[in-house]
Amino acid sequence: SFYNWDNNTAVCNSSPNYQVIADNPEGLLFKYKRDRKILNVDSKVQPGDNSTRTPIQTELYIQAVIFDHISRRKT
């Protein structure tokens, strides 16, 4: 997902691992396809089960964040 602050446009693409949920009242969400856990990118709430949010300080971007999700695969 990428948000361009200059022209106020967002680009979100699903991947082999994540499904983008863009039409949710809570905002932009990602669902990990293997364990079906939801990743919430809203900075005001927890990112979700087995997930962490790490802000990155950079002079290149206004905001950069890395989300890490640990998959709990059923055996």
Side-chain angles (χ1 to χ4, degrees), residues 2-66:
F2 175 79
Y3 186 79
N4 186 323
W5 291 98
D6 293 330
N7 59 16
N8 295 324
T9 57
V11 177
C12 302
N13 296 316
S14 292
S15 73
N17 293 321
Y18 285 95
Q19 173 187 351
V20 176
I21 304 171
D23 58 351
N24 190 292
E26 295 177 26
L28 181 64
L29 302 173
F30 294 91
K31 180 167 72 170
Y32 187 61
K33 292 179 179 179
R34 181 168 279 170
D35 65 7
R36 298 185 185 133
K37 298 285 185 176
I38 299 293
L39 178 68
N40 191 331
V41 297
D42 185 350
S43 63
K44 297 179 183 102
V45 298
Q46 293 295 318
D49 292 341
N50 307 325
S51 300
T52 59
R53 174 188 296 111
T54 305
I56 305 297
Q57 295 297 318
T58 176
E59 294 184 15
L60 295 174
Y61 301 102
I62 294 172
Q63 182 183 30
V65 180
I66 294 176

